[in-house]
Tab-separated table of all heavy atoms in Angstrom:
chain	number	residue	atom	x	y	z
A	1	HIS	N	-15.341	19.709	-18.965
A	1	HIS	CA	-14.046	19.590	-18.303
A	1	HIS	C	-12.998	20.534	-18.890
A	1	HIS	O	-11.803	20.293	-18.749
A	1	HIS	CB	-13.540	18.144	-18.409
A	1	HIS	CG	-14.354	17.154	-17.658
A	1	HIS	ND1	-14.044	15.800	-17.616
A	1	HIS	CD2	-15.472	17.290	-16.899
A	1	HIS	CE1	-14.942	15.166	-16.884
A	1	HIS	NE2	-15.824	16.051	-16.440
A	2	THR	N	-13.425	21.603	-19.542
A	2	THR	CA	-12.467	22.477	-20.214
A	2	THR	C	-11.505	23.169	-19.252
A	2	THR	O	-10.433	23.621	-19.658
A	2	THR	CB	-13.196	23.537	-21.054
A	2	THR	OG1	-14.139	24.239	-20.237
A	2	THR	CG2	-13.936	22.904	-22.214
A	3	HIS	N	-11.858	23.259	-17.985
A	3	HIS	CA	-11.000	23.905	-16.988
A	3	HIS	C	-10.029	22.935	-16.320
A	3	HIS	O	-9.230	23.344	-15.475
A	3	HIS	CB	-11.857	24.586	-15.926
A	3	HIS	CG	-12.858	23.696	-15.247
A	3	HIS	ND1	-13.677	22.829	-15.928
A	3	HIS	CD2	-13.186	23.531	-13.927
A	3	HIS	CE1	-14.453	22.181	-15.085
A	3	HIS	NE2	-14.168	22.591	-13.863
A	4	PHE	N	-10.053	21.675	-16.688
A	4	PHE	CA	-9.226	20.684	-15.998
A	4	PHE	C	-7.722	20.892	-16.153
A	4	PHE	O	-6.974	20.613	-15.202
A	4	PHE	CB	-9.611	19.279	-16.446
A	4	PHE	CG	-10.801	18.704	-15.703
A	4	PHE	CD1	-11.563	19.476	-14.852
A	4	PHE	CD2	-11.153	17.368	-15.861
A	4	PHE	CE1	-12.651	18.959	-14.174
A	4	PHE	CE2	-12.231	16.831	-15.184
A	4	PHE	CZ	-12.986	17.624	-14.340
A	5	PRO	N	-7.205	21.335	-17.311
A	5	PRO	CA	-5.748	21.559	-17.352
A	5	PRO	C	-5.262	22.500	-16.262
A	5	PRO	O	-4.203	22.263	-15.658
A	5	PRO	CB	-5.540	22.151	-18.761
A	5	PRO	CG	-6.630	21.520	-19.580
A	5	PRO	CD	-7.818	21.484	-18.643
A	6	GLN	N	-6.035	23.552	-15.974
A	6	GLN	CA	-5.644	24.451	-14.898
A	6	GLN	C	-5.818	23.793	-13.529
A	6	GLN	O	-4.969	23.949	-12.644
A	6	GLN	CB	-6.473	25.740	-14.957
A	6	GLN	CG	-6.097	26.779	-13.910
A	6	GLN	CD	-4.659	27.241	-14.024
A	6	GLN	OE1	-4.147	27.422	-15.130
A	6	GLN	NE2	-3.982	27.410	-12.900
A	7	ARG	N	-6.890	23.035	-13.352
A	7	ARG	CA	-7.094	22.365	-12.067
A	7	ARG	C	-5.968	21.354	-11.791
A	7	ARG	O	-5.569	21.158	-10.642
A	7	ARG	CB	-8.446	21.657	-12.043
A	7	ARG	CG	-9.644	22.581	-12.056
A	7	ARG	CD	-9.702	23.461	-10.811
A	7	ARG	NE	-10.796	24.417	-10.931
A	7	ARG	CZ	-10.668	25.608	-11.506
A	7	ARG	NH1	-9.488	26.017	-11.979
A	7	ARG	NH2	-11.702	26.427	-11.593
A	8	ILE	N	-5.467	20.716	-12.822
A	8	ILE	CA	-4.361	19.770	-12.643
A	8	ILE	C	-3.158	20.473	-12.034
A	8	ILE	O	-2.511	19.938	-11.115
A	8	ILE	CB	-4.004	19.105	-13.988
A	8	ILE	CG1	-5.092	18.104	-14.385
A	8	ILE	CG2	-2.638	18.416	-13.920
A	8	ILE	CD1	-4.963	17.568	-15.792
A	9	GLU	N	-2.855	21.673	-12.522
A	9	GLU	CA	-1.721	22.418	-11.966
A	9	GLU	C	-1.959	22.768	-10.503
A	9	GLU	O	-1.032	22.766	-9.687
A	9	GLU	CB	-1.472	23.683	-12.794
A	9	GLU	CG	-1.062	23.415	-14.226
A	9	GLU	CD	0.130	22.469	-14.313
A	9	GLU	OE1	1.145	22.712	-13.610
A	9	GLU	OE2	0.054	21.486	-15.078
A	10	GLU	N	-3.206	23.059	-10.163
A	10	GLU	CA	-3.524	23.406	-8.770
A	10	GLU	C	-3.464	22.172	-7.872
A	10	GLU	O	-3.043	22.261	-6.712
A	10	GLU	CB	-4.892	24.081	-8.736
A	10	GLU	CG	-4.853	25.470	-9.353
A	10	GLU	CD	-6.077	25.830	-10.187
A	10	GLU	OE1	-7.006	25.002	-10.286
A	10	GLU	OE2	-6.083	26.936	-10.754
A	11	ILE	N	-3.868	21.026	-8.390
A	11	ILE	CA	-3.736	19.776	-7.634
A	11	ILE	C	-2.259	19.451	-7.428
A	11	ILE	O	-1.834	19.076	-6.321
A	11	ILE	CB	-4.451	18.630	-8.366
A	11	ILE	CG1	-5.959	18.865	-8.397
A	11	ILE	CG2	-4.141	17.291	-7.705
A	11	ILE	CD1	-6.699	17.972	-9.376
A	12	LYS	N	-1.470	19.612	-8.480
A	12	LYS	CA	-0.021	19.372	-8.372
A	12	LYS	C	0.591	20.237	-7.274
A	12	LYS	O	1.428	19.782	-6.487
A	12	LYS	CB	0.665	19.692	-9.700
A	12	LYS	CG	0.548	18.638	-10.777
A	12	LYS	CD	1.369	19.100	-11.981
A	12	LYS	CE	1.405	18.077	-13.084
A	12	LYS	NZ	2.219	18.555	-14.231
A	13	ARG	N	0.177	21.503	-7.242
A	13	ARG	CA	0.710	22.427	-6.242
A	13	ARG	C	0.491	21.886	-4.834
A	13	ARG	O	1.405	21.886	-3.999
A	13	ARG	CB	0.038	23.790	-6.399
A	13	ARG	CG	0.532	24.862	-5.431
A	13	ARG	CD	-0.116	26.196	-5.763
A	13	ARG	NE	-1.537	26.193	-5.446
A	13	ARG	CZ	-2.442	26.920	-6.109
A	13	ARG	NH1	-2.075	27.653	-7.144
A	13	ARG	NH2	-3.708	26.893	-5.735
A	14	GLY	N	-0.723	21.387	-4.577
A	14	GLY	CA	-1.007	20.832	-3.262
A	14	GLY	C	-0.184	19.585	-2.968
A	14	GLY	O	0.294	19.398	-1.837
A	15	ILE	N	-0.006	18.741	-3.965
A	15	ILE	CA	0.782	17.511	-3.765
A	15	ILE	C	2.233	17.855	-3.458
A	15	ILE	O	2.840	17.298	-2.530
A	15	ILE	CB	0.671	16.615	-5.013
A	15	ILE	CG1	-0.763	16.096	-5.168
A	15	ILE	CG2	1.658	15.441	-4.937
A	15	ILE	CD1	-1.041	15.414	-6.494
A	16	TRP	N	2.821	18.786	-4.237
A	16	TRP	CA	4.195	19.198	-3.962
A	16	TRP	C	4.314	19.776	-2.551
A	16	TRP	O	5.278	19.470	-1.814
A	16	TRP	CB	4.649	20.254	-4.971
A	16	TRP	CG	4.953	19.793	-6.366
A	16	TRP	CD1	4.341	20.194	-7.520
A	16	TRP	CD2	5.977	18.877	-6.777
A	16	TRP	NE1	4.896	19.584	-8.614
A	16	TRP	CE2	5.907	18.770	-8.188
A	16	TRP	CE3	6.930	18.134	-6.088
A	16	TRP	CZ2	6.768	17.957	-8.923
A	16	TRP	CZ3	7.792	17.322	-6.819
A	16	TRP	CH2	7.711	17.222	-8.215
A	17	GLN	N	3.354	20.618	-2.178
A	17	GLN	CA	3.423	21.267	-0.872
A	17	GLN	C	3.451	20.264	0.274
A	17	GLN	O	4.086	20.492	1.302
A	17	GLN	CB	2.218	22.207	-0.694
A	17	GLN	CG	2.280	23.469	-1.538
A	17	GLN	CD	0.986	24.257	-1.499
A	17	GLN	OE1	-0.057	23.742	-1.088
A	17	GLN	NE2	1.023	25.511	-1.929
A	18	GLU	N	2.745	19.137	0.091
A	18	GLU	CA	2.646	18.157	1.170
A	18	GLU	C	3.724	17.083	1.061
A	18	GLU	O	3.753	16.139	1.852
A	18	GLU	CB	1.252	17.513	1.145
A	18	GLU	CG	0.836	16.828	2.435
A	18	GLU	CD	0.825	17.755	3.637
A	18	GLU	OE1	0.445	18.943	3.482
A	18	GLU	OE2	1.197	17.296	4.733
A	19	GLY	N	4.626	17.226	0.096
A	19	GLY	CA	5.748	16.293	0.013
A	19	GLY	C	5.498	15.083	-0.848
A	19	GLY	O	6.153	14.040	-0.663
A	20	GLY	N	4.599	15.179	-1.804
A	20	GLY	CA	4.358	14.083	-2.731
A	20	GLY	C	4.948	14.370	-4.100
A	20	GLY	O	5.431	15.471	-4.376
A	21	PHE	N	4.920	13.378	-4.954
A	21	PHE	CA	5.417	13.501	-6.323
A	21	PHE	C	4.247	13.273	-7.280
A	21	PHE	O	3.777	12.145	-7.435
A	21	PHE	CB	6.526	12.476	-6.576
A	21	PHE	CG	7.069	12.478	-7.977
A	21	PHE	CD1	7.494	13.650	-8.580
A	21	PHE	CD2	7.167	11.292	-8.698
A	21	PHE	CE1	7.998	13.653	-9.875
A	21	PHE	CE2	7.658	11.278	-9.999
A	21	PHE	CZ	8.083	12.465	-10.584
A	22	PRO	N	3.715	14.343	-7.909
A	22	PRO	CA	2.522	14.204	-8.748
A	22	PRO	C	2.847	13.721	-10.165
A	22	PRO	O	3.820	14.179	-10.778
A	22	PRO	CB	1.964	15.629	-8.787
A	22	PRO	CG	3.162	16.513	-8.622
A	22	PRO	CD	4.138	15.746	-7.761
A	23	VAL	N	2.027	12.828	-10.666
A	23	VAL	CA	2.151	12.365	-12.046
A	23	VAL	C	0.756	12.336	-12.671
A	23	VAL	O	-0.182	11.791	-12.098
A	23	VAL	CB	2.815	10.969	-12.138
A	23	VAL	CG1	4.268	11.036	-11.720
A	23	VAL	CG2	2.091	9.943	-11.294
A	24	VAL	N	0.613	12.947	-13.835
A	24	VAL	CA	-0.679	13.028	-14.508
A	24	VAL	C	-0.840	11.840	-15.442
A	24	VAL	O	0.050	11.535	-16.243
A	24	VAL	CB	-0.816	14.336	-15.303
A	24	VAL	CG1	-2.173	14.402	-15.993
A	24	VAL	CG2	-0.630	15.534	-14.386
A	25	MET	N	-1.965	11.152	-15.337
A	25	MET	CA	-2.255	9.981	-16.149
A	25	MET	C	-3.577	10.226	-16.884
A	25	MET	O	-4.642	10.192	-16.267
A	25	MET	CB	-2.384	8.727	-15.274
A	25	MET	CG	-1.302	8.577	-14.218
A	25	MET	SD	0.290	8.178	-14.893
A	25	MET	CE	0.045	6.461	-15.316
A	26	PRO	N	-3.539	10.485	-18.181
A	26	PRO	CA	-4.798	10.680	-18.918
A	26	PRO	C	-5.576	9.380	-19.032
A	26	PRO	O	-4.994	8.297	-19.156
A	26	PRO	CB	-4.329	11.159	-20.298
A	26	PRO	CG	-2.943	10.641	-20.434
A	26	PRO	CD	-2.360	10.605	-19.045
A	27	THR	N	-6.891	9.490	-18.962
A	27	THR	CA	-7.738	8.312	-19.085
A	27	THR	C	-8.954	8.656	-19.936
A	27	THR	O	-9.134	9.797	-20.354
A	27	THR	CB	-8.143	7.778	-17.696
A	27	THR	OG1	-8.782	6.516	-17.834
A	27	THR	CG2	-9.058	8.738	-16.970
A	28	LEU	N	-9.785	7.669	-20.200
A	28	LEU	CA	-10.935	7.837	-21.084
A	28	LEU	C	-11.834	8.966	-20.582
A	28	LEU	O	-12.167	9.016	-19.408
A	28	LEU	CB	-11.705	6.518	-21.138
A	28	LEU	CG	-12.719	6.324	-22.250
A	28	LEU	CD1	-12.038	6.314	-23.613
A	28	LEU	CD2	-13.462	5.003	-22.038
A	29	SER	N	-12.254	9.851	-21.475
A	29	SER	CA	-12.961	11.051	-21.045
A	29	SER	C	-14.480	10.858	-20.942
A	29	SER	O	-15.105	11.363	-20.026
A	29	SER	CB	-12.665	12.204	-22.006
A	29	SER	OG	-13.246	13.391	-21.528
A	30	VAL	N	-15.098	10.164	-21.854
A	30	VAL	CA	-16.536	9.880	-21.836
A	30	VAL	C	-17.369	11.156	-21.715
A	30	VAL	O	-18.190	11.305	-20.825
A	30	VAL	CB	-16.916	8.908	-20.681
A	30	VAL	CG1	-18.229	8.198	-20.994
A	30	VAL	CG2	-15.846	7.861	-20.446
A	31	GLY	N	-17.138	12.092	-22.623
A	31	GLY	CA	-17.926	13.323	-22.641
A	31	GLY	C	-19.360	13.053	-23.079
A	31	GLY	O	-19.597	12.555	-24.173
A	32	GLU	N	-20.297	13.382	-22.228
A	32	GLU	CA	-21.701	13.020	-22.444
A	32	GLU	C	-22.262	13.590	-23.744
A	32	GLU	O	-23.068	12.954	-24.419
A	32	GLU	CB	-22.541	13.518	-21.262
A	32	GLU	CG	-23.924	12.927	-21.175
A	32	GLU	CD	-23.907	11.463	-20.766
A	32	GLU	OE1	-22.945	11.039	-20.102
A	32	GLU	OE2	-24.862	10.749	-21.124
A	33	THR	N	-21.830	14.765	-24.115
A	33	THR	CA	-22.410	15.453	-25.266
A	33	THR	C	-22.072	14.781	-26.593
A	33	THR	O	-22.866	14.822	-27.534
A	33	THR	CB	-21.914	16.907	-25.299
A	33	THR	OG1	-22.191	17.524	-24.038
A	33	THR	CG2	-22.599	17.699	-26.392
A	34	TYR	N	-20.920	14.155	-26.680
A	34	TYR	CA	-20.402	13.729	-27.977
A	34	TYR	C	-20.345	12.220	-28.198
A	34	TYR	O	-20.294	11.773	-29.337
A	34	TYR	CB	-18.986	14.297	-28.172
A	34	TYR	CG	-18.924	15.802	-28.092
A	34	TYR	CD1	-18.536	16.446	-26.922
A	34	TYR	CD2	-19.270	16.589	-29.186
A	34	TYR	CE1	-18.489	17.828	-26.848
A	34	TYR	CE2	-19.231	17.974	-29.122
A	34	TYR	CZ	-18.834	18.588	-27.944
A	34	TYR	OH	-18.799	19.958	-27.879
A	35	VAL	N	-20.308	11.438	-27.132
A	35	VAL	CA	-20.018	10.008	-27.273
A	35	VAL	C	-21.243	9.234	-27.752
A	35	VAL	O	-22.345	9.379	-27.207
A	35	VAL	CB	-19.518	9.428	-25.929
A	35	VAL	CG1	-19.400	7.904	-25.998
A	35	VAL	CG2	-18.165	10.035	-25.577
A	36	ARG	N	-21.056	8.384	-28.748
A	36	ARG	CA	-22.092	7.488	-29.247
A	36	ARG	C	-21.555	6.058	-29.235
A	36	ARG	O	-20.351	5.859	-29.330
A	36	ARG	CB	-22.489	7.870	-30.680
A	36	ARG	CG	-23.190	9.213	-30.803
A	36	ARG	CD	-23.532	9.483	-32.263
A	36	ARG	NE	-24.259	10.752	-32.416
A	36	ARG	CZ	-24.577	11.264	-33.588
A	36	ARG	NH1	-24.262	10.621	-34.705
A	36	ARG	NH2	-25.225	12.411	-33.665
A	37	PRO	N	-22.431	5.048	-29.125
A	37	PRO	CA	-23.887	5.154	-29.043
A	37	PRO	C	-24.391	5.495	-27.646
A	37	PRO	O	-25.514	5.929	-27.483
A	37	PRO	CB	-24.352	3.750	-29.440
A	37	PRO	CG	-23.247	2.856	-28.987
A	37	PRO	CD	-21.993	3.636	-29.213
């Protein structure tokens, strides 16, 4: 998910364009490579 910060900005752009108010809410990441057990 290393490209997600940029994708968030692109999602925001679409929301603004259509008349919405975007808010980013971080949530649990659950990266398969690192999480144990």
Side-chain angles (χ1 to χ4, degrees):
H1 293 181
T2 54
H3 55 314
F4 276 9
Q6 183 60 39
R7 292 297 175 272
I8 287 170
E9 296 307 310
E10 290 141 1
I11 294 166
K12 281 184 176 180
R13 181 175 70 210
I15 293 169
W16 286 119
Q17 288 171 344
E18 199 59 37
F21 178 51
V23 292
V24 180
M25 315 289 285
T27 189
L28 196 64
S29 185
V30 203
E32 195 71 26
T33 306
Y34 302 98
V35 172
R36 293 180 178 175

